[in-house]
Amino acid sequence: MSEAWADSGKRFFLTTPIYYLNGQPHIGHAYTSIAADVLARWKRLAGHKVFFLTGTDEHGQKVAQAAAAAGVSPQEFTDNLAADFRGMAEKIGISFDDFIRTTEGRHKAACQALWQRLADAGQIYLGHYEGWYAVRDEAFYGEDEIEERDGKKVAIASGAPVEWTREPSYFFRLSDWTDRLLAFYEANPDFMAPASTRREVTSFVKAGLQDLSISRTSFTWGVPVPGDPAHVMYVWLDALTNYITAAGYPDTSSPNWDFWPANVHIVGKEITRFHCVYWPAFLMAAGLEPPQRVFANGWLTIEGQKMSKSLGNGLDPLVLAEEFGLDPLRYYLLREVPFGNDGDFSRRAVIGRLNSELANDLGNLANRVLSLIAKNCEGRLPALTEPTEADRALLGPVEALPALVDDAISRQAFGEALERIWTVVRLGNSWIDGQKPWALRKTDADRMAAVLRSLHTALRTLATVLQPFMPETMAAMLDQLGVGQGARALSDLATPLADGTELSAPVPLFRKIEETA
Ligand code: MSP
């Protein structure tokens, strides 16, 4: 098992998108953050030095308009909402190491330093922008990317209304980067995932890139352009820079700078163009390393319907966590949909998985084993013995599990990781039924003890690898299994628990939920 965690001590920097402060956080935001959180927790468990960044995207026209609609200043508006987003992240167990707000001084300094570097490299020129802009997407669109729907011009990709914009603007020489980006993608096959993202982005770049407007003069809620404060920076240049701000930029002697380049940016699929095209181009143009990977998650619908402000169906993660429990909610979000695909959130499916996979498969297995140990072994962990062939049938897959989970999580295949884990949960259930430790009590007490010890080993491994997905419940499970706080990392699995460890009486880990109409 040691081979999988040989990288232990290595730095791992991962990020969520920074969320626009134009409304309350909803389950779509929670989805991306929970996935990133599982990855962060997994890497910590594997012994990496993790830097997990999340935060809020506070500038731009979209946020300025939302503040105006609320009748407050953008600063007051964003101060309030940023606190809501931060509070939400904390309440859903997001174990971030830094929460960045783009209105912070450190961020303004980083944006201006990056701008200056691009300008010094001859990558910026002053011109005039004339074209379509969608405030909702904070994106410029070409004539071929818009269409008319119900008498209104909208962006084809997102359906967001576009308006004709004409103003003086600084441009970034993105057109210089077409070939270098394609060469970069070619040399770094893991840079973009899933495959659909890689295909879409590559064909967008192959079609040829145009210079990008990177400043605006028609509003002021943004980072002023150095030397020309009539302009504020384009909100995406500002937003993307957050990732290096948090790594200490422009102070490249800061200890945090050792974390750059980021190992992975987790983003929604609608913002891959910004992360996979503009961002590496800005960085390479500034002489900085691009991130190693961008993983795009799909979109969640609610009971089959698109989440939208007008439908008012942007579910509040805290209400859901209240109803189902936070850990079952986290489990469901990563189990139901292969990460990277679009998927649906449905109450029925949550309840179905909670009852069958959590309460029945895992909860009952733990409860049966721990009750048998409490009843038949005086609540003490039976001694380790030489495994028989029957034991090997269980312990072989148990020992192989952490490396398989590591491989899946390192590819952001969270659903596959859970499927691997559940293969062992199901094996545990069929194995206990076959071994019948309750019947061995009278006929062969030694074998009963050995069987229970093998099952305990299986449960310990399961609870250990499941910690990133369900931190609270697995902490309780490890408590019940007698695994001390300091012995819960992947590398600790190599050290067996002491024979005779006292175990507390089992308490059910999951409650079943009645299905209501
Ligand atoms: N501010 C930009 C990102 C800047 S990153 C340098 C932004 N913000 S956002 O708040 O509109 O969306 C952020 C992310 O929330 C999306 O990329 C996506 O990951 C997540 N989601 C928002 N709604 C979602 C769903 N309905 N389903 C899944 N994820 C969704 O874009």
Side-chain angles (χ1 to χ4, degrees):
M1 214 187 47
S2 57
E3 77 282 4
W5 341 121
D7 282 350
S8 162
K10 226 168 108 176
R11 287 181 184 79
F12 194 89
F13 181 16
L14 78 161
T15 66
T16 72
I18 49 171
Y19 301 100
Y20 281 131
L21 293 185
N22 65 326
Q24 285 295 320
H26 58 63
I27 190 72
H29 306 124
Y31 178 56
T32 301
S33 288
I34 288 171
D37 183 62
V38 169
L39 180 56
R41 288 176 187 262
W42 179 266
K43 290 291 175 187
R44 289 191 197 109
L45 209 58
H48 288 65
K49 233 168 137 179
V50 171
F51 182 37
F52 176 22
L53 175 69
T54 188
T56 45
D57 187 354
E58 310 195 2
H59 289 132
Q61 226 172 334
K62 174 171 164 137
V63 174
Q65 285 180 358
V72 291
S73 72
Q75 192 60 59
E76 188 182 344
F77 184 75
T78 52
D79 283 347
N80 288 334
L81 266 182
D84 293 343
F85 270 80
R86 191 184 168 117
M88 164 70 68
E90 282 163 354
K91 286 183 195 127
I92 60 173
I94 307 304
S95 59
F96 57 81
D97 298 296
D98 191 358
F99 189 100
I100 191 166
R101 297 185 54 191
T102 55
T103 46
E104 289 172 57
R106 61 170 172 161
H107 181 66
K108 184 175 155 193
C111 289
Q112 293 185 329
L114 181 65
W115 180 288
Q116 199 55 57
R117 186 118 175 220
L118 293 171
D120 293 346
Q123 290 287 323
I124 293 180
Y125 62 91
L126 184 60
H128 218 92
Y129 180 76
E130 184 159 5
W132 298 104
Y133 192 77
V135 174
R136 202 170 88 193
D137 300 342
E138 295 282 20
F140 301 95
Y141 288 105
E143 207 58 63
D144 56 336
E145 292 179 301
I146 64 157
E147 66 180 15
E148 203 156 304
R149 281 185 211 164
D150 305 326
K152 272 197 184 160
K153 300 260 194 226
V154 298
I156 298 170
S158 63
V162 292
E163 57 197 48
W164 189 254
T165 310
R166 193 186 139 75
E167 55 185 323
S169 172
Y170 284 95
F171 284 83
F172 170 70
R173 294 189 193 281
L174 185 62
S175 59
D176 280 2
W177 291 90
T178 307
D179 293 340
R180 274 176 283 184
L181 280 170
L182 291 172
F184 172 69
Y185 301 157
E186 180 87 23
N188 296 280
D190 293 331
F191 174 63
M192 293 180 265
S196 52
T197 295
R198 188 176 167 76
R199 276 194 305 272
E200 273 163 33
V201 171
T202 310
S203 71
F204 171 74
V205 176
K206 273 193 178 144
L209 296 170
Q210 289 176 6
D211 289 350
L212 181 70
S213 164
I214 51 165
S215 74
R216 307 288 306 273
T217 51
S218 50
F219 63 95
T220 54
W221 183 238
V223 179
V225 166
D228 193 351
H231 291 250
V232 291
M233 290 183 201
Y234 173 39
V235 67
W236 269 102
L237 172 57
D238 163 345
L240 289 161
T241 303
N242 92 87
Y243 302 130
I244 54 173
T245 305
Y249 191 80
D251 178 8
T252 51
S253 63
S254 133
N256 249 14
W257 189 251
D258 291 342
F259 279 100
W260 191 260
N263 295 73
V264 58
H265 295 313
I266 307 272
V267 304
K269 66 175 185 181
E270 78 291 358
I271 55 176
T272 49
R273 187 181 296 184
F274 305 98
H275 283 85
C276 301
V277 183
Y278 303 168
W279 184 224
F282 294 151
L283 289 165
M284 292 196 277
L288 298 171
E289 268 187 88
Q292 292 183 353
R293 182 170 168 87
V294 176
F295 191 99
N297 67 249
W299 272 58
L300 278 187
T301 51
I302 303 295
E303 310 287 351
Q305 276 197 311
K306 207 176 149 191
M307 234 183 281
S308 79
K309 272 208 176 135
S310 48
L311 288 173
N313 63 350
L315 295 182
D316 179 346
L318 295 184
V319 173
L320 295 171
E322 183 70 27
E323 181 175 6
F324 302 114
L326 174 58
D327 283 350
L329 176 67
R330 289 170 58 105
Y331 171 81
Y332 170 83
L333 287 173
L334 295 178
R335 179 71 183 88
E336 179 71 7
V337 188
F339 198 59
N341 292 11
D342 290 335
D344 188 44
F345 182 91
S346 104
R347 296 177 51 80
R348 249 190 102 131
V350 182
I351 294 171
R353 286 196 183 273
L354 208 180
N355 289 349
S356 72
E357 293 165 11
L358 296 181
N360 280 351
D361 294 348
L362 179 62
N364 281 352
L365 178 64
N367 211 267
R368 279 166 100 187
V369 173
L370 288 167
S371 302
L372 285 166
I373 294 178
K375 245 197 291 170
N376 303 328
C377 313
E378 292 163 352
R380 290 181 177 277
L381 182 64
L384 203 60
T385 51
E386 192 56 38
T388 63
E389 204 175 307
D391 292 320
R392 297 291 330 147
L394 175 66
L395 297 177
V398 164
E399 280 160 20
L401 184 63
L404 293 173
V405 175
D406 185 65
D407 172 60
I409 292 185
S410 298
R411 288 181 280 114
Q412 290 79 52
F414 302 105
E416 183 188 319
L418 287 170
E419 185 48 47
R420 297 275 191 193
I421 297 171
W422 251 256
T423 304
V424 173
V425 172
R426 283 186 229 107
L427 172 66
N429 277 307
S430 61
W431 196 80
I432 192 174
D433 288 344
Q435 294 295 310
K436 300 190 177 42
W438 49 88
L440 289 168
R441 186 179 130 91
K442 296 221 168 86
T443 55
D444 187 348
D446 286 349
R447 180 64 195 148
M448 174 201 72
V451 162
L452 291 175
R453 176 65 192 239
S454 292
L455 284 161
H456 183 279
T457 301
L459 288 173
R460 178 189 177 189
T461 301
L462 288 168
T464 300
V465 299
L466 277 169
Q467 291 175 97
F469 295 90
M470 298 186 280
E472 276 182 30
T473 317
M474 291 306 111
M477 183 164 166
L478 288 162
D479 286 344
Q480 293 186 33
L481 289 167
V483 182
Q485 303 268 358
R488 296 178 178 185
L490 294 178
S491 57
D492 293 317
L493 289 173
T495 314
L497 230 56
D499 296 348
T501 300
E502 216 169 309
L503 308 182
S504 53
V507 182
L509 295 166
F510 301 99
R511 63 190 160 88
K512 281 202 170 183
I513 304 221
E514 292 280 333
E515 207 156 332
T516 48

